[in-house]
Amino acid sequence: MFQVAAHPTAFDAHRQHGHGHSHAHPSARRSSHHQSSSSSQGLQLPRTLARPPFAECSREAILAASPELANVPSEFIRLRLRETAPQMLAGMSCLAPSHMPAQLPRTHIPSAMNVPVRASSSSRMVPSYPTHVLAIAPSKHASHSSDAVALFPVHALVLASHCALLPRLPSAAPAHPTATQVQLPVMPLQLPSLTAFKILHSFMYTHNVGALLAALLPLPEAFTHTSGFSGEHVTHTMRSGTKLHELSSYLYSASHKSLSSLTTHAAHVKELWQDCVTLGVYDLELWDAMDLAWEIVLGAMNIAAAAH
């Protein structure tokens, strides 16, 4: 039912192009929370978010980002990156804002950006500077088009170990921790949703499942900000019809009991799903969190439909 790009498309800054196809892979997970697709006033949503076939991340891409990790499994790399996330986030925060704007005109994307770096706010942490910049434009199937692209500093190893379908990144020279500026190659890219990629970009670094859910839906802080919130919390919640109904009821109230607002929330979850499918992101905790968000939204929409 949803349409997504078959893979992320590198684009010509002076031209728009892209393509898409629908996915019909059935999800194996189904909750007793509610048994049918939400429908009201002609609105039809899939009962579950389809999970595409798993694809391993490119060893070539990992080798290009960190040759010493050539024989290390992607899952272990992702776990190790969680430990170094503070240094990488610190490296991104060191980039001078005047030289790293949030967006640029689509027709003025440089092949590389020379960005001065500021001193780290922590004297005890050696920052790990980004290696690239993604210049992301919405694909032609996105609901909103723009003449501007959004810029996201990234670390090649983070992308290589998470995104199985990412196009090959341009080569980049590693920056020394004491450098006064960094040269970041720019990769133009088309994705279904810029808003969703902001959430995904943060998750790939922090793996904060609670923050991911809070970014998708207005949920109780006592739930999403639970200390040590993890995939186990998501799994436990998915198995509890009582907890699911409680969260759906909260979302229904927080959305002013408006089916239109709930439809917007459903679109946010769908857009994250689209970006994950397009980039080939197969992190299990991420997909479980999207399943939970979808269950909560459908439950809230069923409550709204019954109330009207």
Side-chain angles (χ1 to χ4, degrees), residues 204-276:
M204 287 191 291
Y205 282 90
T206 67
H207 283 263
N208 188 324
V209 180
L212 176 90
L213 287 169
L216 285 174
L217 304 173
L219 295 174
E221 287 192 9
F223 177 68
T224 58
H225 289 67
T226 299
S227 178
F229 192 102
S230 66
E232 291 183 3
H233 289 77
V234 171
T235 301
H236 177 75
T237 303
M238 285 287 284
R239 293 172 178 168
S240 172
T242 300
K243 187 64 177 178
L244 286 171
H245 182 73
E246 175 188 323
L247 293 170
S248 291
S249 297
Y250 181 95
L251 177 61
Y252 172 61
S253 297
S255 303
H256 309 291
K257 302 181 180 181
S258 165
L259 184 58
S260 176
S261 295
L262 291 171
T263 302
T264 299
H265 294 319
H268 291 160
V269 182
K270 179 263 293 185
E271 288 167 2
L272 179 60
W273 174 85
Q274 286 180 304
D275 277 6
C276 288

Side-chain angles (χ1 to χ4, degrees), residues 59-126:
R59 301 310 305 177
E60 181 182 0
I62 291 175
L63 179 65
S66 279
E68 69 277 11
L69 300 177
N71 298 315
V72 179
S74 299
E75 180 62 26
F76 184 84
I77 294 174
R78 288 192 290 270
L79 290 172
R80 180 69 182 90
L81 285 173
R82 298 186 194 189
E83 300 174 10
T84 59
Q87 291 96 314
M88 291 187 288
L89 293 172
M92 286 192 283
S93 68
C94 288
L95 300 180
S98 59
H99 289 71
M100 179 49 66
Q103 61 181 32
L104 284 176
R106 190 182 178 112
T107 55
H108 292 78
I109 303 174
S111 60
M113 300 178 68
N114 292 311
V115 184
V117 294
R118 304 171 297 179
S120 173
S121 59
S122 173
S123 59
R124 295 176 297 177
M125 183 183 299
V126 178

